[in-house]
Amino acid sequence: TDTVLVDFWAEWCGPCKMLTPVIEAISEKYQDKLKVYKLDTDKNPITAQEAQITSIPCCIIYKNGQEVHRIIGHQPQSKFESELEQFT
């Protein structure tokens, strides 16, 4: 698959922890269409800065290495999936 979802998060971030089960469910449900990665912004500050992450949680969808969409903040799974559908 050429579609990648990167979840930018941090250990201290409450909404990030709330989003974790959603990300895990998405990862399982879309495993044939999407690769899912989690990136700890505290451990990877340069990568987060290069991606221009200003608030977390922030999920970026990449297609063929190019950013195509951002989902910022905690979302219920149904809303997350409806935003994701157009890219998978």
Side-chain angles (χ1 to χ4, degrees):
T1 175
D2 308 332
T3 308
V4 173
L5 173 76
V6 181
D7 174 20
F8 291 85
W9 70 285
E11 192 61 48
W12 50 265
C13 168
C16 298
K17 289 181 178 160
M18 290 166 54
L19 189 61
T20 297
V22 173
I23 297 297
E24 287 169 358
I26 297 263
S27 176
E28 218 165 279
K29 184 171 179 178
Y30 292 87
Q31 62 187 344
D32 299 337
K33 302 180 185 176
L34 186 69
K35 286 190 174 125
V36 177
Y37 299 96
K38 290 179 75 71
L39 186 130
D40 184 331
T41 56
D42 288 342
K43 293 184 177 146
N44 301 281
I46 292 166
T47 307
Q49 191 176 7
E50 286 170 353
Q52 299 177 330
I53 302 300
T54 53
S55 67
I56 54 173
C58 178
C59 294
I60 301 181
I61 302 164
Y62 295 93
K63 255 191 151 18
N64 303 315
Q66 298 295 313
E67 178 180 331
V68 292
H69 191 63
R70 284 184 184 218
I71 302 171
I72 298 171
H74 175 263
Q75 307 283 343
Q77 187 171 339
S78 57
K79 185 172 186 323
F80 203 101
E81 285 183 21
S82 68
E83 287 200 44
L84 194 58
E85 282 295 327
Q86 58 192 314
F87 304 104
T88 55

